[in-house]
């Protein structure tokens, strides 16, 4: 599962960059020995998506909400929650200084910072990537769980 989640996030690496991706793979500046953060964030996204789908099909489960637009609203709610989860988890490492220096900065021969390689916008990019991954999970769970719903089994189509 760990490689599957990490590889899924790598589909969207252009949103958050290779340096933040290396940090999330567990790079400590020398080796990949730290925990893989893709696993934690991905499992949280998977769980939020599962709960959102189950709420839509089994808790809300009302004839008024068995339309494509109500399903789309739940999809967007799920995605936005996961966007902020991905952003929050990556920006906390950024702000706390938990990202290896070699991933954060390019330095000259005097050890002065020449360029910053990871910024807050990369953390937002990771949040957007998490939004898309959660959307994939939500759609997959829809196909699994919609058939047991009494009122919304034909939603979104």
């Amino acid at each position: 599962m760990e490689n599957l989640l990490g590889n899924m996030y790598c589909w969207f690496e252009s949103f958050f960059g290779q340096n933040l991706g290396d940090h999330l793979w567990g790079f400590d500046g020398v080796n990949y020995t730290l925990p893989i953060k893709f696993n934690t964030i991905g499992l949280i996204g998977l769980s939020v998506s599962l709960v959102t789908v189950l709420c839509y099909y089994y808790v809300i489960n009302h004839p008024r909400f068995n339309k494509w637009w109500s399903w789309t609203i739940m999809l967007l709610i799920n995605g936005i929650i996961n966007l902020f989860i991905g952003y929050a988890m990556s920006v906390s490492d950024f702000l706390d200084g938990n990202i290896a220096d070699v991933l954060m900065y390019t330095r000259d021969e005097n050890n002065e910072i020449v360029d910053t390689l990871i910024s807050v916008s990369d953390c937002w990019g990771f949040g957007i990537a998490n939004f898309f991954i959660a959307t994939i999970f939500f759609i997959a769970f829809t196909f699994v769980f919609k058939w047991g719903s009494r009122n919304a089994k034909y939603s979104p189509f």
Side-chain angles (χ1 to χ4, degrees), residues 9-23:
Y9 281 104
C10 287
W11 297 340
F12 302 99
E13 192 174 71
S14 61
F15 291 141
F16 56 88
Q18 184 175 0
N19 287 344
L20 183 58
D22 284 343
H23 168 70

Side-chain angles (χ1 to χ4, degrees), residues 51 53-62:
V51 168
V53 165
L54 292 176
C55 283
Y56 177 73
Y57 285 107
Y58 297 106
V59 176
I60 296 173
N61 195 22
H62 193 275

Side-chain angles (χ1 to χ4, degrees), residues 79-106:
I80 290 168
I81 290 169
N82 280 290
L83 179 140
F84 285 110
I85 288 170
Y87 168 74
M89 293 187 78
S90 61
V91 83
S92 68
D93 280 350
F94 176 78
L95 295 175
D96 293 343
N98 294 335
I99 300 175
D101 190 68
V102 297
L103 295 175
M104 284 289 295
Y105 307 109
T106 301

Side-chain angles (χ1 to χ4, degrees), residues 79 82-84 86-87 90 122-132:
N82 280 290
L83 179 140
F84 285 110
Y87 168 74
S90 61
D122 294 320
C123 298
W124 279 113
F126 181 71
I128 293 168
N130 205 40
F131 175 96
F132 287 121

Side-chain angles (χ1 to χ4, degrees), residues 56-76:
Y56 177 73
Y57 285 107
Y58 297 106
V59 176
I60 296 173
N61 195 22
H62 193 275
R64 275 175 148 177
F65 296 106
N66 68 352
K67 309 285 189 259
W68 67 268
W69 55 265
S70 59
W71 180 85
T72 304
I73 290 170
M74 293 300 284
L75 176 77
L76 290 173

